[in-house]
Amino acid sequence: MMLKKLFLMIGCCIAFVILLVLIYSLYKEKRMYEQYLTMNVRQDIVDMKSAIINNDILFERILKNVKITNEMVEDGEQASQLYYNLTDITQIINKYNLMNLNFSEEANWLVKPAAIFTNDLG
């Protein structure tokens, strides 16, 4: 009888320790995922800000010249650089729309992919 109680106590202690380890590992995994998402969001914000600033500079030059020229800018021709920047912005928007759809299936009526407005520049 005493041996049975001892085994029961040891079993409960082992189960409790396993439960604690499992809860801690799930917490750590959640925390790592949050850090991963935060890092990606920060990088995407930096990329989007850079694309917007570059497009603003290019649009100012275009408005000043009243036409899109083939002049070389820092990273290539105006038209192709505008195209690549707008494509980058669209891809970031679509990435977060898809993430929103995955996180919340109930709110999928809010999610629309960004319109492809860059085809006219091609």
Side-chain angles (χ1 to χ4, degrees):
M1 184 72 167
M2 196 63 117
L3 193 57
K4 202 176 210 183
K5 283 185 179 182
L6 182 63
F7 283 139
L8 184 62
M9 290 282 281
I10 291 173
C12 286
C13 289
I14 290 173
F16 184 70
V17 168
I18 290 172
L19 184 64
L20 283 177
V21 169
L22 179 65
I23 290 172
Y24 180 74
S25 67
L26 290 175
Y27 169 77
K28 287 295 280 183
E29 184 177 337
K30 179 185 172 194
R31 190 78 182 117
M32 286 174 31
Y33 186 65
E34 286 174 356
Q35 289 173 347
Y36 169 77
L37 284 179
T38 302
M39 182 179 62
N40 279 342
V41 168
R42 283 183 185 156
Q43 185 59 48
D44 286 340
I45 288 172
V46 168
D47 293 343
M48 186 172 267
K49 179 181 175 185
S50 173
I52 290 170
I53 290 171
N54 287 338
N55 277 359
D56 186 48
I57 293 168
L58 291 172
F59 282 132
E60 284 180 15
R61 287 183 189 166
I62 291 167
L63 288 173
K64 188 170 94 176
N65 296 335
V66 192
K67 64 181 179 178
I68 296 178
T69 64
N70 286 335
E71 80 178 51
M72 294 298 282
V73 291
E74 291 79 23
D75 296 324
E77 295 178 359
Q78 280 182 339
S80 62
Q81 191 60 40
L82 282 171
Y83 173 79
Y84 291 128
N85 288 340
L86 291 172
T87 302
D88 288 344
I89 292 169
T90 304
Q91 287 175 348
I92 292 170
I93 291 169
N94 285 336
K95 174 183 172 182
Y96 287 99
N97 279 336
L98 180 61
M99 189 181 300
N100 180 38
L101 181 64
N102 289 336
F103 284 153
S104 177
E105 289 292 330
E106 301 87 43
N108 63 2
W109 59 274
L110 292 174
V111 178
K112 288 184 180 178
I116 310 248
F117 50 86
T118 56
N119 286 343
D120 296 335
L121 295 176

